[in-house]
């Protein structure tokens, strides 16, 4: 198998085996530190909406370029020592950008106390991963929030890093991970990020646009009527103000037969999200487990297709050389 295929397979295996272990250093920690310090400094300087938008754009540029150069430099330095060390660096950096296993474990940390009837513990765990208020959520609403989180994060935590790693290797996947981290920290329509987070949020939306739709397309391939499934997702997604999350949540909702969306509270302030999906099936812990299977199904499909392409390409090269 060619090196790119080895990197993909190795990164996938590493993510499956250890995910993001608590207590271990992770590149996202360094990204988060840089984002927090940069945001604090730039917000002290930038006072007007225009300068805050420019400040957010500057931080985005510096973070993306810095992350890309860091990954490329680390790989180049390891390559000089030994080819296999360079290969290992590529695998580790690519695996650090994958979030499917971590997303799965996060959902299970909510689901397991919920299945035992420990609502308070489930609410506490859910509050670690979502921005909405969780203190008064009942079982149905906890299930809805968990499924929405899995659906929304499947593109940017699983399929998008795989796509960018296939296009530009570990450095491009690493840069996308930095952008996704930046958006998760400052891409909010509230103070002090109302203007500062505009450019990071829009750029992250643009970069996730294709992976998100490819994720929906992948789920459609597993349906009996894929074109009808796509049409229904398109109709529902148009109601959501987000260019991406509406698509992925609609795809999960129609796959599971549930209805997502509704009223969420953010610091006591209600925000209404459009309803997505048919609402034929109830929102239960079993449905949450089914959503995790959907995510894994998408992830495995992508891995199979891309690794299959690598193997086919390598086999063709061997065949041509043999002639």
């Amino acid at each position: 198998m060619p090196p790119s295929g080895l990197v993909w397979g190795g990164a996938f295996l590493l993510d499956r085996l250890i995910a993001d272990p608590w207590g271990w250093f992770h590149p996202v920690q360094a990204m988060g530190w840089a984002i927090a310090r940069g945001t604090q400094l730039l917000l002290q300087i930038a006072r007007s909406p225009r300068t805050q938008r420019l400040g957010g754009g500057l931080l985005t540029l510096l973070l993306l370029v810095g992350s890309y150069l860091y990954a490329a430099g680390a790989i180049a330095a390891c390559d000089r020592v030994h080819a296999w060390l360079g290969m290992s660096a590529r695998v580790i950096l690519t695996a650090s950008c994958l979030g499917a296993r971590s997303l799965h474990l996060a959902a299970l940390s909510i689901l397991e106390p919920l299945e035992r009837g420990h609502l308070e513990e489930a609410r506490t765990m859910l509050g670690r991963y979502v921005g909405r208020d969780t203190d008064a959520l009942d079982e149905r609403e906890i299930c809805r929030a968990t499924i929405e989180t899995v659906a929304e994060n499947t593109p940017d935590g699983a399929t998008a890093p795989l796509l960018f790693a296939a296009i530009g290797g570990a450095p491009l996947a690493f840069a996308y991970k930095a952008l996704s981290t930046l958006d998760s920290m400052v891409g909010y329509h509230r103070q002090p990020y109302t203007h500062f987070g505009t450019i990071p949020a829009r750029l992250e939306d643009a970069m996730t646009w294709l992976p998100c739709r490819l994720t929906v397309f992948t789920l459609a391939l597993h349906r009996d009527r894929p074109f009808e499934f796509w049409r229904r997702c398109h109709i529902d997604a148009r109601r959501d103000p987000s260019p991406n999350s509406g698509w992925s949540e609609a795809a999960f909702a129609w796959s599971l037969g549930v209805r997502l969306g509704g009223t969420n509270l953010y610091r006591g302030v209600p925000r209404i999200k459009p309803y997505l999906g048919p609402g034929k099936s109830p929102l239960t812990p079993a449905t949450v487990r089914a959503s995790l299977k959907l995510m894994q199904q998408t992830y495995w499909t992508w891995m199979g297709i891309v690794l299959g392409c690598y193997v086919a390409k390598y086999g063709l090269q061997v065949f041509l050389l043999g002639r």
Side-chain angles (χ1 to χ4, degrees):
M1 189 181 294
S4 51
L6 286 176
V7 171
W8 258 63
F12 176 74
L13 182 62
L14 190 60
D15 178 58
R16 295 293 302 175
L17 290 176
I18 66 173
D20 299 329
W22 289 101
W24 288 28
F25 172 78
H26 194 282
V28 172
Q29 293 175 270
M31 293 174 185
W33 180 88
I35 292 168
R37 292 299 180 90
T39 300
Q40 183 181 23
L41 176 62
L42 289 168
L43 284 177
Q44 289 176 350
I45 300 172
R47 298 296 183 181
S48 68
R50 180 175 179 273
T51 55
Q52 287 181 359
R53 280 193 291 269
L54 291 174
L58 176 62
L59 180 60
T60 303
L61 177 63
L62 293 175
L63 184 69
L64 291 184
V65 173
S67 298
Y68 186 93
L69 292 178
Y70 169 82
I75 290 170
C78 291
D79 278 337
R80 292 192 192 99
V81 177
H82 196 278
W84 281 107
L85 185 61
M87 180 68 69
S88 299
R90 289 177 175 86
V91 169
I92 293 171
L93 287 170
T94 303
S96 71
C97 300
L98 302 179
R101 181 61 176 167
S102 297
L103 181 58
H104 184 92
L105 294 175
L108 288 181
S109 71
I110 302 164
L111 183 60
E112 288 170 355
L114 186 64
E115 290 176 327
R116 297 195 304 267
H118 299 167
L119 284 182
E120 192 58 41
E121 184 181 351
R123 292 174 186 137
T124 301
M125 297 304 300
L126 177 63
R128 296 182 179 183
Y129 305 107
V130 301
R132 73 190 71 179
D133 299 342
T134 62
D135 295 343
L137 297 184
D138 59 15
E139 180 180 284
R140 180 188 178 281
E141 286 299 299
I142 293 173
C143 291
R144 176 171 75 88
T146 306
I147 294 172
E148 289 174 352
T149 300
V150 171
E152 184 177 353
N153 285 281
T154 293
D156 56 13
T159 51
L162 291 176
L163 177 64
F164 289 117
I167 294 172
L172 187 59
F174 204 70
Y176 174 79
K177 185 67 173 182
L179 177 62
S180 179
T181 304
L182 177 61
D183 176 61
S184 69
M185 293 179 66
V186 305
Y188 299 103
H189 295 292
R190 64 170 186 260
Q191 292 296 338
Y193 310 119
T194 305
H195 307 289
F196 187 83
T198 299
I199 292 177
R202 290 181 179 176
L203 183 58
E204 199 275 342
D205 285 341
M207 294 290 287
T208 311
W209 190 93
L210 180 60
C212 180
R213 282 146 185 82
L214 289 176
T215 300
V216 177
F217 179 75
T218 304
L219 289 172
L221 291 178
H222 294 278
R223 310 302 298 175
D224 294 333
R225 302 169 63 187
F227 293 107
E228 178 64 17
F229 177 85
W230 180 275
R231 186 186 69 83
R232 289 172 175 174
C233 292
H234 180 238
I235 292 173
D236 277 5
R238 291 173 61 184
R239 304 192 190 109
D240 197 292
S242 170
N244 295 318
S245 64
W247 273 94
S248 56
E249 290 182 20
F252 271 69
W254 280 100
S255 295
L256 298 170
V258 301
R259 187 173 72 172
L260 302 178
T263 303
N264 302 327
L265 294 179
Y266 295 87
R267 299 181 181 180
V269 179
R271 186 183 303 171
I272 300 176
K273 292 191 63 176
Y275 288 118
L276 309 171
K280 295 180 180 179
S281 301
L283 288 162
T284 65
T287 318
V288 177
R289 289 197 177 274
S291 73
L292 294 177
K293 290 181 180 179
L294 282 178
M295 180 188 68
Q296 294 297 327
Q297 184 183 62
T298 303
Y299 199 44
W300 279 99
T301 300
W302 275 52
M303 290 302 304
I305 291 174
V306 175
L307 288 176
C309 290
Y310 282 136
V311 171
K313 179 182 176 182
Y314 182 61
L316 180 61
Q317 290 174 342
V318 171
F319 173 77
L320 294 176
L321 289 174
R323 298 183 64 184

